[in-house]
Amino acid sequence: MKQLRPAILGCITLVVFCVIFVVPFFFIALQAVKDRQGSSLLNFSWPSETQLWQNLVDVVQARDYQLLLAYFNSTVITVFSVTGLVIFAAMVGYVLQRRPSKWNKYVNFAVLAGLMIPPAVVPTIWLLQQIGLFKTIHGMILIEIAYNLSFSILLYRAFIATVPRDLDEAARIDGAKPLQLFFRVILPLLKPVTVTNIVVQSIAIFNDFTNPLYYLPGKDNVTVQLTLYNFQSQFSTQYHLLFMNILLVTIPPLIVFIFFNKQIVEGMTAGAVKG
Amino acid sequence: MSGLELKKVCKSYGAVEVIKDLSLQIESGEFVVFVGPSGCGKSTLLRMIAGLEDCSGGTVEIGGEDVTDAEPSDRGIAMVFQSYALYPHMSVRDNIGFGLSLAKTPKAEMNARVEEAAKILQLTDYLDRKPKALSGGQRQRVAIGRAIVRNPKVFLFDEPLSNLDAALRAKMRLELTELHANLNVTMVYVTHDQVEAMTMADKIVVLNKGVIEQVGKPMDLYNNPATAFVAGFIGSPQMNLLEGAAARKLGAEIYGIRPEHIDISRESGLWRSTVRQIERLGNDAILYLDVEDVGSLTVTTDGQTDVVIGDMLFATPQPQNEHRFPTIAR
Amino acid sequence: MPTAQIEKKPRKTSGSPYPLWFFLPAGVIYGVLFLVPTFASLYFSLTRWNLFNSTFIGFENFLSFVQEPFLIKGLINTVIFAVSTALLKTIIGLALGILLTSNIRMRGLLRTIAFFPILVSTIGIGITFAVMMHPTRGIINVSLELIGIDGPGWLTDPTLALYSVAFVEVWRGVGLASVIFIAGLVSIPRDYYEAARIDGATKWQQFKRITLPLVQPATATVMILSFVYGLRSFELIWTMTKGGPGFSSDVIASVIYKQYQAGFYGLSTAGNVILFILIAVMVMPLVAYFNRREVDL
Ligand SMILES: Nc1ncnc2c1ncn2[C@@H]1O[C@H](COP(=O)(O)OP(=O)(O)OP(=O)(O)O)[C@@H](O)[C@H]1O
Ligand SMILES: [Mg+2]
């Protein structure tokens, strides 16, 4: 009896979790393969006719292949901003943790401010216009870096504290200059937290809606989340296509999650609790 | 091949003076050991020689050149850390060769030098492993290999053996002594283990609270300690140090006598005592005696002795081995 | 010869091995794109502004926020939304954390499932739930009907809309909260519980005397993060209700967007500043409280 309890508890929890957390996903997938009539009922009935491929083609072709463009834009934004985030945040976290200086308290304050203060939207647009970055992909990349730096720095700072200083000193005696020390000795050792950073930030940036909405308007600059938003009105009677679209833009984060599931959970918690 | 000279170096962290006006001359090819109690500044002094800590004052000269402001890598030194500080993401080969690769040494020469160092240290079979897959002793050797390959003028060691078990420590002690003989370079070695100091050193430097208590050959320190502090620090078991009335009766502020320099007898002697405790080590036995008006006394004697706890014994110091000191350590 | 020797004397080439210029790339991006607009917002919030010229009008924009009913509503809604989601995420997150660190089968799988909602974009979740909450055809009300309950208009009833969105926000964020709690819970040494059991503490006493105090850092993290997130929330509300019906579920963030769309840039920016002040006023005491508690431990 005593050994049975964990199993029973586990099964009950699994069922409850499935209903609460998985049913909505099932719902998305189900609607995505229905035809127009079937999906307009919005129910769980098994589709009389599945038309996965047809829906897929329809969504991709909609609005002059807007989804493909959006995929391209979102990928470019995500890849470049995450690369920048990893390198710049690691550099800050590293010096912040290693070198006590009178700057540290300002940097720490800036990190906290970045985590809490909501960005001032219109002044940012105004500024971006002044420096010619409004409605540009590289402007968007820089914005994503600026807004997500704080979180990455916290993760890195907590982790760098666990890298022994002896290594720095050994490398200095071996003749490493600051850049070599950082890129050849320290950065490789930060791999676990770098993976966490890449995964968490790439999902966040890929899924970002608000910032592209404000700073990246224009048909050519569309990102995946904006396609959803745009289609929401256009497809209000074509739920099967709307849900197919949701399904399609969820695939990249899902793949990332499946590969790095463990690191996300571990890394998030390590950084979050210490930070 | 070159010596090392410290001229009036000092180091303070804020208001705390860790090293005070310290001067020291180390000859070329010497094996010098810094000993002293925990927190006395041994590591700090070594790291000042390495250039990992700035000097608050004074100069450091290596091979006759003033290197006080030089980068660690420009001083012609190599250092072995207590934690070994091996780069975990690099193979043994890359660990040893890292310094050379930073110096843009040609590939062929680099490989040759790494392999030569590996041969000296019997690491040839492990060159492609990561440090994680090595034993403590092997890691230690990799750390030494990384030092050798730099061809330094001076080797610096900070308690390199303290993470090893007793047997391995004895073995590595011997290997290091042999390495020193083969390479014939200057070595500076920090430890708080006085056995390591006695067995390995050409010259011991006893540090206490940031100043040098005494410098000398191991046996000189044992035979003629300059201060009560050195007397208490060198030698095991510790020298008996008597103070107050008991010492004054013998004509000194502090009177010292080593446990191995006290004779015991059942019939007669200077001090009448009772045996409080016995530790039998095999070939030796250590007696802890209670002496009236003097206090506790440690005596080493033959391991086969038939003395038991509670026995009454007479203890007599050997007059030629007595030490008299003016006053206790600062 | 001797002069050549002197010249060879090594010089200190650089200062610290941890150069301060490492702060520079991040600092420039952050400073230009985050700090400058933040400071600029302090000025622009006091103006009537169309991006080209701004007229200084004093505190008029801020006065609107305490006078115009729809702006006041937004302010109140923001606080309700943030407080309710933060509390629920903390409580449910802790409960799930305890469940998922207990002796239970399929722990790994369950943890993964709870984390799943983070993957789907907020927009995707918003659309999905909006459809599921459809007053007549949505599966929630259809299911309720099966058991004889006449479900309300989750998103169409002005008194309910905000809470429906808050519910979805909790659903979305509770997985992350429980992951943070799990990390906090597993770091509590088992000895404490064993010692307490030997002392005869009941399960409830163990929870109150050991778990709760020792999981405090995780609680602080979850509380503060969810609270800040709740105050800044925009995406979910915007996709699910657009602040409606009417402005019954508007929050400051959606007001900022609406005013921006309408071209009231000064008013929109004032909304930003108010949100900033709100976060400062409400989160700082929370941070201070948790910091003090931690010292006590
Ligand atoms: N960064 C620092 N700031 C302030 N004080 C320091 C710092 N580093 C070392 N100290 C102090 O300097 C003194 C000497 O330290 P050091 O590490 O040289 O001791 P040690 O002789 O190597 O001791 P051990 O045998 O324990 O390694 C200690 O009292 C220590 O507290
Ligand atoms: Mg030390």
Side-chain angles (χ1 to χ4, degrees), chain B residues 38-39 41-44 82 158-159 190 192:
Chain B
S38 189
K42 307 180 293 286
S43 301
T44 308
Q82 179 175 357
D158 193 354
E159 309 202 19
V190 165
H192 57 234

mmCIF file of all heavy atoms in Angstrom, chain B residues 38-39 41-44 82 158-159 190 192, ligand 2:
data_model
loop_
_atom_site.group_PDB
_atom_site.id
_atom_site.type_symbol
_atom_site.label_atom_id
_atom_site.label_comp_id
_atom_site.label_asym_id
_atom_site.label_seq_id
_atom_site.Cartn_x
_atom_site.Cartn_y
_atom_site.Cartn_z
ATOM 1 N N SER B 38 49.065 29.574 9.473
ATOM 2 C CA SER B 38 48.035 30.036 8.534
ATOM 3 C C SER B 38 47.807 31.531 8.688
ATOM 4 O O SER B 38 47.753 32.042 9.804
ATOM 5 C CB SER B 38 46.742 29.270 8.809
ATOM 6 O OG SER B 38 45.826 29.556 7.785
ATOM 7 N N GLY B 39 47.734 32.233 7.572
ATOM 8 C CA GLY B 39 47.437 33.659 7.614
ATOM 9 C C GLY B 39 48.644 34.537 7.824
ATOM 10 O O GLY B 39 48.507 35.747 7.979
ATOM 11 N N GLY B 41 50.939 35.220 5.680
ATOM 12 C CA GLY B 41 51.298 35.989 4.486
ATOM 13 C C GLY B 41 52.162 35.240 3.495
ATOM 14 O O GLY B 41 52.701 35.848 2.578
ATOM 15 N N LYS B 42 52.267 33.933 3.629
ATOM 16 C CA LYS B 42 53.095 33.150 2.704
ATOM 17 C C LYS B 42 52.583 33.267 1.275
ATOM 18 O O LYS B 42 53.339 33.595 0.360
ATOM 19 C CB LYS B 42 53.078 31.652 3.096
ATOM 20 C CG LYS B 42 53.449 31.348 4.524
ATOM 21 C CD LYS B 42 53.387 29.858 4.785
ATOM 22 C CE LYS B 42 51.990 29.264 4.721
ATOM 23 N NZ LYS B 42 51.151 29.578 5.874
ATOM 24 N N SER B 43 51.291 32.968 1.119
ATOM 25 C CA SER B 43 50.733 33.005 -0.237
ATOM 26 C C SER B 43 50.834 34.408 -0.805
ATOM 27 O O SER B 43 51.157 34.594 -1.975
ATOM 28 C CB SER B 43 49.272 32.580 -0.230
ATOM 29 O OG SER B 43 49.155 31.293 0.281
ATOM 30 N N THR B 44 50.558 35.395 0.029
ATOM 31 C CA THR B 44 50.614 36.774 -0.436
ATOM 32 C C THR B 44 52.002 37.089 -0.962
ATOM 33 O O THR B 44 52.156 37.672 -2.040
ATOM 34 C CB THR B 44 50.254 37.726 0.717
ATOM 35 O OG1 THR B 44 49.021 37.295 1.280
ATOM 36 C CG2 THR B 44 50.136 39.141 0.224
ATOM 37 N N GLN B 82 47.694 25.358 -5.511
ATOM 38 C CA GLN B 82 47.178 24.307 -4.631
ATOM 39 C C GLN B 82 46.034 23.551 -5.306
ATOM 40 O O GLN B 82 45.911 22.346 -5.219
ATOM 41 C CB GLN B 82 46.680 24.934 -3.330
ATOM 42 C CG GLN B 82 46.116 23.925 -2.365
ATOM 43 C CD GLN B 82 45.749 24.568 -1.037
ATOM 44 O OE1 GLN B 82 45.976 25.747 -0.828
ATOM 45 N NE2 GLN B 82 45.207 23.784 -0.150
ATOM 46 N N ASP B 158 52.522 26.979 -4.546
ATOM 47 C CA ASP B 158 51.728 27.332 -3.355
ATOM 48 C C ASP B 158 51.029 26.088 -2.826
ATOM 49 O O ASP B 158 50.027 25.652 -3.375
ATOM 50 C CB ASP B 158 50.704 28.415 -3.706
ATOM 51 C CG ASP B 158 50.082 29.021 -2.452
ATOM 52 O OD1 ASP B 158 50.370 28.514 -1.349
ATOM 53 O OD2 ASP B 158 49.315 29.976 -2.575
ATOM 54 N N GLU B 159 51.574 25.537 -1.784
ATOM 55 C CA GLU B 159 51.027 24.318 -1.160
ATOM 56 C C GLU B 159 50.574 23.295 -2.192
ATOM 57 O O GLU B 159 49.422 22.873 -2.179
ATOM 58 C CB GLU B 159 49.849 24.678 -0.241
ATOM 59 C CG GLU B 159 50.220 25.775 0.726
ATOM 60 C CD GLU B 159 49.328 25.797 1.941
ATOM 61 O OE1 GLU B 159 48.673 24.772 2.218
ATOM 62 O OE2 GLU B 159 49.304 26.828 2.623
ATOM 63 N N VAL B 190 55.784 27.196 -1.013
ATOM 64 C CA VAL B 190 55.062 27.582 0.202
ATOM 65 C C VAL B 190 54.388 26.367 0.809
ATOM 66 O O VAL B 190 53.797 25.558 0.098
ATOM 67 C CB VAL B 190 53.975 28.634 -0.123
ATOM 68 C CG1 VAL B 190 52.991 28.767 1.008
ATOM 69 C CG2 VAL B 190 54.615 29.971 -0.422
ATOM 70 N N HIS B 192 52.664 24.822 4.870
ATOM 71 C CA HIS B 192 52.655 24.963 6.332
ATOM 72 C C HIS B 192 53.017 23.636 6.985
ATOM 73 O O HIS B 192 52.909 23.488 8.194
ATOM 74 C CB HIS B 192 51.334 25.527 6.850
ATOM 75 C CG HIS B 192 50.147 24.740 6.465
ATOM 76 N ND1 HIS B 192 49.069 25.307 5.827
ATOM 77 C CD2 HIS B 192 49.852 23.446 6.593
ATOM 78 C CE1 HIS B 192 48.177 24.378 5.589
ATOM 79 N NE2 HIS B 192 48.629 23.240 6.038
HETATM 80 MG MG MG D 2 48.058 30.291 1.456
#
